[in-house]
Amino acid sequence: METVAAVSIFSRSEEKRGVKYEYFLGDGNSKAYQAVVSSRPYDDVEVKKLECIGHIQKRMGTRLRNYKLRNKSLILSDGKGLKGAGRLTDKVIDQLQGYYGGAIRSNQSNLDSMRRAIWAIWYHKMSSDDNPQHDLCPFPPDTWCAFRKAEVAGTVANYKHKNSIPLAIMEAIKPIFKDLSNPDLLRKCLHGKTQNVNEAFNNVLWTRLPKNVFVGRHTLELGTYDAIATFNDGNLSRIKVLEQLGIKDIGSNTICLLQQLDTERINRAEIAVRNATKEARLKKRRINLEQDEVEEEDYIPGGF
């Protein structure tokens, strides 16, 4: 469905909108882009692929979790494995994924700075009191590196590295950093855009029209119209729809209910950005990821 829709959007852009779409913003696993390119919607414009930086950020976490899953019994150069306190824990993976995404977002339009920021993460996390590696860390005032701040304050002699990742771990995951700092990949992220808006709208749409429930075209269109209106202007947008349908005498209870729905929506959004909620969401995500990994590990092609 996604592939057919993408091809349709590009093929009718000149006729419907009078424009040619030069770029395609999507996730890395989508087949829609290849379908659009193969359809050759324009004779004189080559459609270029842009990556959603949110999906690229997730690649770091996915690669690290898969590496950890596939190498449960691996013994590293320090004689220890990947698991355990102070090793490649789920919390550390989440941190590296977040830092990686931050490096991309804070260096939009500058490929060299973006790559430098990504490798700064790798060197910073492997640093220790005996072997500080902060040459790539930014200088104050625009720095997140406590070591750099200590240098400026003249207190570096008393500085103690905390939460460092063992050198053996960092050397083991270095190929992942190398792959995810590839210029060809990062060049597609310089725009700094994500598909978050699309994902958010999809959530609104599927709450009205669940994917696992079949509906006719008329119902699908009505649900889509309602999703677009409420996504853009809130539930009160339905008042305008009723007025356009000729229903002028709208009761106060109806208006109050729609206002209440919008207020609750805002409150839920504010709760979602609180630290405690984020931590709970991360914990739930880790549990789901671990469950998915177990299921994938147990899967045997043709075994059922």
Side-chain angles (χ1 to χ4, degrees), residues 219-286:
T219 301
L220 177 63
E221 290 177 346
L222 288 177
T224 303
Y225 297 150
D226 183 64
I228 293 172
T230 54
F231 181 78
N232 289 333
D233 299 317
N235 288 280
L236 279 174
S237 62
R238 291 168 175 164
I239 299 296
K240 299 178 183 179
V241 175
L242 293 174
E243 290 175 347
Q244 289 294 319
L245 292 173
I247 304 175
K248 303 296 183 181
D249 187 16
I250 301 172
S252 58
N253 288 337
T254 299
I255 296 175
C256 288
L257 176 60
L258 294 176
Q259 288 176 333
Q260 180 180 347
L261 290 173
D262 285 335
T263 300
E264 291 175 354
R265 181 185 181 187
I266 294 172
N267 290 338
R268 287 195 300 270
E270 292 177 344
I271 292 173
V273 299
R274 294 176 184 172
N275 290 332
T277 308
K278 288 181 180 179
E279 291 174 2
R281 191 162 59 244
L282 283 172
K283 183 177 180 180
K284 182 178 179 181
R285 185 191 307 163
R286 292 190 199 109

Side-chain angles (χ1 to χ4, degrees), residues 88-233:
L88 192 62
T89 63
D90 290 333
K91 182 177 181 180
V92 167
I93 290 175
D94 287 338
Q95 287 178 341
L96 292 175
Q97 176 179 303
Y99 297 156
Y100 175 71
I104 294 175
R105 288 182 172 85
S106 60
N107 292 280
Q108 298 175 20
S109 304
N110 192 322
L111 180 60
D112 291 337
S113 295
M114 190 179 291
R115 294 193 72 217
R116 178 188 176 94
I118 292 171
W119 281 109
I121 299 168
W122 189 82
Y123 283 104
H124 178 89
K125 294 303 292 184
M126 66 174 283
S127 295
S128 64
D129 293 337
D130 296 330
N131 186 29
Q133 298 284 325
H134 299 281
D135 292 343
L136 295 182
C137 294
F139 286 95
D142 302 321
T143 188
W144 38 262
C145 178
F147 185 86
R148 286 294 200 196
K149 295 177 181 177
E151 281 185 323
V152 173
T155 59
V156 70
N158 299 322
Y159 181 82
K160 298 295 181 182
H161 285 81
K162 299 178 181 179
N163 302 319
S164 295
I165 303 176
L167 176 61
I169 296 283
M170 297 308 295
E171 288 290 352
I173 65 175
K174 187 175 183 178
I176 297 176
F177 271 80
K178 185 177 180 180
D179 289 345
L180 296 183
S181 62
N182 187 299
D184 292 336
L185 173 65
L186 297 182
R187 198 172 285 113
K188 299 177 183 178
C189 301
L190 294 174
H191 55 83
K193 297 180 175 61
T194 73
Q195 290 181 287
N196 288 352
V197 175
N198 290 345
E199 300 291 351
F201 171 73
N202 287 342
N203 181 60
V204 175
L205 178 62
W206 300 134
T207 56
R208 289 155 175 75
L209 302 165
K211 294 182 180 181
N212 60 346
V213 177
F214 176 81
V215 297
R217 178 173 178 175
H218 184 62
T219 301
L220 177 63
E221 290 177 346
L222 288 177
T224 303
Y225 297 150
D226 183 64
I228 293 172
T230 54
F231 181 78
N232 289 333
D233 299 317

Side-chain angles (χ1 to χ4, degrees), residues 1-9 30 32 35 202 205-206 209 211 220:
M1 181 176 67
E2 179 182 341
T3 300
V4 174
V7 172
S8 177
I9 290 171
S30 175
N202 287 342
L205 178 62
W206 300 134
L209 302 165
K211 294 182 180 181
L220 177 63

Side-chain angles (χ1 to χ4, degrees), residues 74-81 87 166-172:
L74 178 66
I75 301 300
L76 302 179
S77 58
D78 59 357
K80 300 179 181 180
R87 311 292 285 181
L167 176 61
I169 296 283
M170 297 308 295
E171 288 290 352

